[in-house]
Structure formats: structure tokens, C-alpha cells
Amino acid sequence: MLTIISFLGFTLFVAFVAWYATRKTDEKSADGYYLGGRSLGAITIAGSLLLTNLSAEQIVGLNGQAFAEGLMVMAWETLAAIAMIFTAIYLLPKYMKKGITTIPEFVEKRFDQQTKALLSILFLFAYGIVLLPTILYSGSLAFSTMFDLPNIMGVTPWTVIWICVITIGLIGMVYAIFGGLKAVAVSDLINAIGLLIGGLLIPIFGLLLIGDGDLGSGLGILWDTNPEKFKMKGAVDSSIPFGTIFTGMMLAQIYYWGTNQSILQRVFGAKSLKEGQKGMLLAAFVKFVIPIIVVLPGIIAWHVFEGQLDNPDQAYPALVAKVLPGAFTGFFAAVLFGAVLSSFNSLLNSSATLFGFDLYRMYFKKDATEVETVKAGKTFGIGLAVVSMLIAPFIAFAPDGLFSYIQQSLGSLSVPILAVVMTGVLTKKVPAIGAKVVMVGGVLLYLISLLLLEPHFRETAVSMAQSQGITDLNELSIIKAKAYPHYLHVMGILFVFNIIVMLVFGWLKPKKSITEEETTDVIDITPWKYAFVVGAVIALLVISTYFIFS
């Protein structure tokens, strides 16, 4: 009963504060609904950025990888801070001085309307097929495992996943479609604070369990008995070979933090460029300590359960169920529920923005009013939410785990999107046809590599090795890994190829009319004078972690 009361109490508190903070915002205007009236401050932006990113798919997925492979998966979090610094210092000033609402809008100003439409469609595919379903599935898996719902409800785990997916999806739709960005951002801030507090409690209670009540002793035992889990450099056959942090992983991070609409929409809602930069750099600093929440519990779970779990993605919820005292369970469930809703409704809000701004006015009703545009975006968001709810449960069958599914699937879209945006930022003469060829061809090349070439070369290499009498599993694993470049290396190779293709188009068919630089008067675009210094300090902290654990 205490669990239920604390869960409902915290959830209703967040909903009330979000309503109270947004009751005077004009949700019928585009700026009001999509950008919170351009009124967000640095702390609200930082909280919203963190919770948009740090949802169940991050917590469950990364801890699942840490359970299987150890500390090296921390690279996903530490490199994120570097990408956020790059975005805050270099990309944000270029975006915000144009007063844009969406990244495709930026692309339209640089290329043309058709390029913008293609980019919007790629974003919507990424959200509807990859990100929204994984958020729903991971949240459902967490609640199902934490509260042992199959036994409590007397139904199969598969049925529980469906029930949780539909419940979370319906509530998320209400938040996102009827609340607008400001409601999302305010609820994000409260839930981010709760998630940081609750998230830190899990490794603390886990270490206390290992150390029989002594935190330091627990950490010592964990370190001494599982040395293989505290290596930062991934082997060639691991999910993150060390070399990949310099190729595709860095590109994936810059795509996510520097060109991803659902992330940047929080910053575009800033009251000024200075507040946007402060918010992103504050989030980057917090990202530096996030591995305590999204990596360490997975290693603790490996020790506590002696590596014996059916599915590595169950590591985090299983640990929560084991170590968290009953009095905290309802609160943590509410915070995790808020985190799931945050990521889900953030993506829905961004999807509504992309459709309303970038597709509805272009192809469906050119003279649509702001009210009609917002309404069309909301309707599309509802449809996309339903599609994602139908896909979500089937992610249970992903062969390499939740987090790997996210990264590999997104690679097909992130590489061409990043290539087009970065070329648009850095050059003036590359024509729209170059961007269009890359956005279509880049996706196809990645899918051919992932679905056809990689399986063929790796299966062939393993078959040949076995025919030569090699039976050692570790040796076969290394042979398989070396037979074809890792998907993150493939992302790096294709990114360079896409850039070259666009530059060739710029050389053969240079754009004749160069768009003049424009500066908005909607917000103050004076940069924060300490942005570079603060960014440099955070970058040094991040780099130091590799020396500590190398």
C-alpha cells in the first residue's frame, strides 16, 4: 500500500506542477506549443536534456551491457559530454542566430524545401520505428521485472509487456499532445532531480549489500573479485572495440546531441543563446557522473546474481527489486515512470513539430494557420504513438540486446543526417541534389552493410575457421569480429564517403545563389563568455577517466 501511495503521490505532484507552470502559456501558438514560448532557463533546459536522454532504454539498456561487458560501455556516456560541449560552443550559435524551430528548417534555409522534407521523414522514421518503441519496451520490462507483475497479475510476461506498453503509451500521449513543450520540460526537471536521487540510491544499496553494510568494503569486494569488469578498453570482439570511440561512436554522439530534433528542441526553447549554452554545458557536466547510475549497477548486478540472468537487460530492474527498501520502491517507480514518459512525450512533441512545421504546411495545406498546424501535428503524434506501441513488444526478440538494437538501427539514419547538416554548416556551395543523394543513398548503403555484407563475411569466416579444425569459442569470436568492420567503424567510413559525395557535387554543380546569413531578433544571441573555459574543464575531466581506468 505504501508503494502505491508514494507512486501515485509523486506522479500527481509532477503533473500538478507541470500544469501550474504552463497554465499561462499560449499552447495554441506554434512558439507556445513547440518551444514553450521561448522562455526556458538554463536549469530547466539541462534537466529536460538529461531526462529526454536518460530514460529506461538508457538505464536498462546500458546497465544490461555493463552486466555483460563491464565498465567499457561507459564510453557512451563520457563521449556524450564531449559532443554536448561541441554543440554548445560551435553549433548552437549557428542554429540560434537564425531563430529556427527545427533542424529541417535550418536545412531548408541552406538547401531547399525537398531536402527539408526528406530530413523530416528520416527523423520521423527514427522516432517511430526505433526510439519510441524502445522507450516503451524498456520501461515495460523494468516495471514487469521490478514488481514481478507476471506473478502478481497471473498472466504471462509477454502479456504484461503489452499491458505496460499500452498504459505508458496512452499516458504519454496525453502529456505530449495536450501539454506542449513547456509542460514536458517542467515535468522533466522535477523527474530529473528525482531520477538522480533515486538512481544514486541503487548502487549505494547494492554496494551496502555486497559489503554487508559497509559501502567502502562493498566497492572493494566488487573491484577485487571482478577485475575484468573494470577495463575501459574494449577488445576487438566486444560491443565497443576501443578504436570505435574515435570513429562511429563520436559521430553517433554528435548526431544525437548536435542534430537530433528531440534534443535540440529543448535548447531552441531557451530565452537566449546564453541560457541555451549554459543549459547544455550543465547537462554535459552531469553526464560525466551519470555512469554511476547507468553502468555501475550493471556490474553490481553481475556480482550479486553471479552472472546468472536469462536476459542481461533484466540486470537493472532485478537489482532494484532486490536491494531497494520497500519505502523507496514507490518513489523510484514514479521517478522511472516519469523518465519513461519524459523521453516518450519529448519524442512525440518533436514528431508533432516536424510534421506540423515541415510537412503539413508544405504538402497538405500551404496556407494553414498556426492553430491548424498545431492541431495537425497533434493528430500525427497520436498516430505515431499508436504505431510505436504496436512495434514495442517485439523488441524483446532483438538478438544483441536493447542498447545495441538502438545504436545499430539509428546508424542507418544518423550518418546521412549528420553528413548533410555538417556540410550545410561548413560549406556554402554544395547543392541540394548532393544532400538528397546522400540522404537516400547513405541509408541504403548502411542497410546493405548491416543486413547483407556483415552477416555474409562473418558467417563465411567462422565456417572456414571451423572447417580448419578451430573450435575454441574465444578464437572463433575474434575471427568473426575481424572478418568485417564493426558497425561503428562502418558509420565512420560511410560518413566520410557521404561528405566526399556532397563535396564532389559542390565541385561539379556548385550552388549558384548563396543564401545570405540572417540574424534573428526573436531572442538575444549573445554567447556566454565562459562557455569555452567551462567546456574545456569538462572535456579534461572526461579524458581523465580513460587514464584512470586504462
Side-chain angles (χ1 to χ4, degrees), residues 211-292:
D212 197 21
D214 187 324
L215 190 69
S217 176
L219 184 59
I221 293 170
L222 185 69
W223 182 282
D224 292 337
T225 56
N226 304 279
E228 75 284 358
K229 295 293 181 182
F230 288 94
K231 293 178 180 178
M232 279 293 288
K233 292 184 178 179
V236 68
D237 58 341
S238 68
S239 68
I240 311 173
F242 183 67
T244 60
I245 67 175
F246 303 106
T247 58
M249 184 181 286
M250 196 67 247
L251 294 174
Q253 298 289 9
I254 294 173
Y255 157 77
Y256 186 85
W257 295 102
T259 66
N260 182 3
Q261 177 63 28
S262 67
I263 287 295
L264 288 174
Q265 193 164 333
R266 274 100 203 94
V267 194
F268 292 162
K271 62 182 72 171
S272 66
L273 172 58
K274 184 187 296 185
E275 289 297 303
Q277 288 181 313
K278 284 181 183 177
M280 185 154 263
L281 289 172
L282 175 59
F285 176 73
V286 177
K287 261 291 183 187
F288 173 67
V289 299
I290 288 295
I292 297 172

Side-chain angles (χ1 to χ4, degrees), residues 58 76 130 252 402-412 414 446 487-488 491:
Q58 284 289 114
W76 284 112
V130 182
L402 174 66
F403 200 76
S404 182
Y405 167 79
I406 296 170
Q407 300 305 330
Q408 290 193 48
S409 301
L410 276 184
S412 62
S414 60
Y446 181 87
Y487 77 91
L488 287 170
M491 286 172 63

Side-chain angles (χ1 to χ4, degrees), residues 78-94:
T78 52
L79 285 186
I82 300 290
M84 293 163 84
I85 294 164
F86 172 75
T87 300
I89 294 172
Y90 181 72
L91 293 177
L92 274 190
K94 293 182 178 296

Side-chain angles (χ1 to χ4, degrees), residues 121-459:
I121 291 167
L122 287 185
F123 272 131
L124 291 173
F125 264 103
Y127 295 165
I129 295 175
V130 182
L131 293 175
L132 286 169
T134 55
I135 289 165
L136 290 174
Y137 169 71
S138 58
S140 301
L141 180 66
F143 287 115
S144 175
T145 307
M146 278 170 57
F147 299 108
D148 196 18
L149 293 182
N151 284 333
I152 292 174
M153 299 173 72
V155 295
T156 65
W158 176 247
T159 304
V160 169
I161 293 294
W162 272 103
I163 292 170
C164 290
V165 162
I166 292 169
T167 303
I168 295 169
L170 290 175
I171 296 172
M173 284 162 59
V174 173
Y175 250 97
I177 303 304
F178 300 107
L181 179 70
K182 193 168 182 181
V184 172
V186 171
S187 61
D188 282 355
L189 176 59
I190 304 166
N191 280 314
I193 295 168
L195 188 64
L196 288 174
I197 295 170
L200 288 170
L201 288 176
I202 304 307
I204 289 172
F205 283 123
L207 292 173
L208 287 173
L209 175 69
I210 294 172
D212 197 21
D214 187 324
L215 190 69
S217 176
L219 184 59
I221 293 170
L222 185 69
W223 182 282
D224 292 337
T225 56
N226 304 279
E228 75 284 358
K229 295 293 181 182
F230 288 94
K231 293 178 180 178
M232 279 293 288
K233 292 184 178 179
V236 68
D237 58 341
S238 68
S239 68
I240 311 173
F242 183 67
T244 60
I245 67 175
F246 303 106
T247 58
M249 184 181 286
M250 196 67 247
L251 294 174
Q253 298 289 9
I254 294 173
Y255 157 77
Y256 186 85
W257 295 102
T259 66
N260 182 3
Q261 177 63 28
S262 67
I263 287 295
L264 288 174
Q265 193 164 333
R266 274 100 203 94
V267 194
F268 292 162
K271 62 182 72 171
S272 66
L273 172 58
K274 184 187 296 185
E275 289 297 303
Q277 288 181 313
K278 284 181 183 177
M280 185 154 263
L281 289 172
L282 175 59
F285 176 73
V286 177
K287 261 291 183 187
F288 173 67
V289 299
I290 288 295
I292 297 172
I293 296 173
V294 299
V295 176
L296 184 57
I299 301 174
I300 293 172
W302 172 268
H303 182 92
V304 169
F305 300 111
E306 299 177 347
Q308 303 300 310
L309 285 177
D310 295 333
N311 180 355
D313 288 331
Q314 291 178 322
Y316 190 78
L319 184 68
V320 171
K322 186 171 183 67
V323 305
L324 197 64
F328 292 99
T329 306
F331 163 73
F332 187 74
V335 167
L336 191 61
F337 185 65
V340 173
L341 282 184
S342 167
S343 289
F344 185 72
N345 57 32
S346 294
L347 285 168
L348 272 191
N349 184 270
S350 294
S351 300
T353 308
L354 288 168
F355 181 79
F357 255 84
D358 300 332
L359 296 176
Y360 184 71
R361 278 184 173 173
M362 186 188 303
Y363 295 111
F364 297 94
K365 193 172 183 182
K366 288 183 168 58
D367 59 346
T369 63
E370 286 202 348
V371 173
E372 289 173 328
T373 302
V374 170
K375 184 179 178 181
K378 289 180 177 181
T379 304
F380 178 81
I382 292 171
L384 195 67
V386 172
V387 170
S388 67
M389 288 158 66
L390 294 174
I391 294 172
F394 296 96
I395 293 174
F397 303 107
D400 298 319
L402 174 66
F403 200 76
S404 182
Y405 167 79
I406 296 170
Q407 300 305 330
Q408 290 193 48
S409 301
L410 276 184
S412 62
L413 303 163
S414 60
V415 170
I417 289 174
L418 181 61
V420 167
V421 173
M422 292 304 296
T423 304
V425 168
L426 295 171
T427 70
K428 292 184 178 180
K429 292 191 175 182
V430 172
I433 183 65
K436 292 169 189 172
V437 167
V438 160
M439 278 197 282
V440 175
V443 172
L444 293 176
L445 286 174
Y446 181 87
L447 291 176
I448 290 170
S449 171
L450 184 69
L451 302 177
L452 298 177
L453 297 180
E454 180 180 326
H456 169 73
F457 281 103
R458 291 194 167 162
E459 288 169 12

